Each structure stands twice: as C-alpha cells, then as structure tokens.
Amino acid sequence: MILSAKTAQKKMQRMALQVAEKNAGQKALLLIGIKENGIHIANAIAGYLASIFEGSIEVISLELNKKMPAEITLSKEVDFNGKNILLIDDVANSGRTMMYALKPLLTQYPAQVETLVLVERTHKLFPVAINYNGISVSTTMQENIIVDVSGSEIKGAYLQ
C-alpha cells in the first residue's frame, strides 16, 4: 500500500490548497479529469477547491485509449481560449497519457495548462512536467501502481 484512503484525501486537500494559492485572483479554473480514475480525482479536487477558490470551477472528462491514444473525446465542447486549465490523472508514469491529453487544448490558446496527479512515477519518456503531485514514487519499470477507486471514492493506491 502506497496511500491509504485517509492519506490520499489529505494529499488531495493539500494539492487543492496549492492550486488555489497558485491561481489566486483568477476568475475561473477548468479541471479536466482523464478517465477512468482521473475524473474522480478531478471531482474530489473540485470539491476541496469549492470552499477556498474564489473563482468558478468547471469539471469535464477526457477519454482516450492510453495504449493507442489516436482518438480523444471530451465530455462536452469547451472553448479553451484564455482559460486556466488543470489536467488531472491518477498516475503519471511515462508522460504519454498527459502528452496526448494536451492535443485538444493545442488547437486553441489556453492562458495556462497545469498538471496534477495523485501518484507520480519517475519513468518519464515524454517531456511532461507534473505541477502538483500527491506523492512521488521510484519504482522499477515492471511494477505497476494502481489507484483503487470504488464508485467515486478514492480508496488508496498500491504497488503491484
């Protein structure tokens, strides 16, 4: 076990505080949660932000095949121009998912794009920096990190 449910909640609360502090004075934040687990983390972060961020918060989901990310689907069409965007996933491994998730954002002109993950691994193959992470873990390439989600509740994370 890397993170218990209680520790994962504390990590998400801390990240929400960091996001609110970094984005103080902004009028709005768009949170994009990558399906499957990233959207649950995005909703949790939005819940924590609701009481501490003075601007509006919108959450949408992004769906892609993480192995072959040719087609990317958003839960709704959004104008990204001038928006402050937070791209959220459960685990950052090679950076591939985050890199391809940026694709729909690059056809427009967001004001800012930041990234947030619950667990960051140290095996980057793509040039994607993670702005906010709950925990950074060094693992072997053969090990997997699983974020356990039941319904919309984050139960924790473990090494497999």
Side-chain angles (χ1 to χ4, degrees):
M1 179 71 81
I2 296 170
L3 293 172
S4 66
K6 184 177 181 179
T7 303
Q9 299 304 318
K10 287 181 181 181
K11 299 284 186 186
M12 289 187 291
Q13 284 177 317
R14 176 185 50 81
M15 289 187 293
L17 287 168
Q18 290 174 315
V19 168
E21 180 180 26
K22 169 86 170 41
N23 290 280
Q26 299 298 325
K27 294 181 180 180
L29 273 176
L30 174 62
L31 280 57
I32 302 175
I34 299 173
K35 284 189 170 182
E36 290 297 319
N37 291 343
I39 188 62
H40 300 299
I41 294 167
N43 285 324
I45 294 292
Y48 294 127
L49 283 171
S51 64
I52 56 175
F53 181 71
E54 294 181 9
S56 66
I57 302 163
E58 182 178 3
V59 180
I60 65 170
S61 66
L62 180 145
E63 188 171 0
L64 73 153
N65 178 331
K66 292 185 177 191
K67 301 267 189 241
M68 296 295 290
E71 187 176 320
I72 299 168
T73 308
L74 296 169
S75 60
K76 73 180 216 179
E77 289 297 317
V78 175
D79 178 10
F80 299 121
N81 289 307
K83 299 270 174 91
N84 293 304
I85 298 170
L86 186 58
L87 187 60
I88 302 172
D89 204 3
D90 58 348
V91 178
N93 185 21
S94 68
R96 176 190 311 266
T97 300
M98 286 285 190
M99 182 76 139
Y100 282 97
L102 290 170
K103 187 178 176 182
L105 308 179
L106 299 177
T107 61
Q108 298 180 42
Y109 301 98
Q112 164 181 287
V113 178
E114 293 184 303
T115 55
L116 180 148
V117 296
L118 185 57
V119 182
E120 180 179 18
R121 292 181 65 185
T122 56
H123 302 294
K124 297 293 180 286
L125 301 174
F126 291 82
V128 174
I130 304 301
N131 299 99
Y132 310 97
N133 69 62
I135 187 170
S136 184
V137 180
S138 294
T139 62
T140 68
M141 290 295 284
Q142 293 73 35
E143 294 173 307
N144 290 315
I145 295 176
I146 307 296
V147 174
D148 185 15
V149 177
S150 178
S152 62
E153 185 180 342
I154 311 298
K155 296 287 191 178
Y158 61 91
L159 190 62
Q160 182 181 42

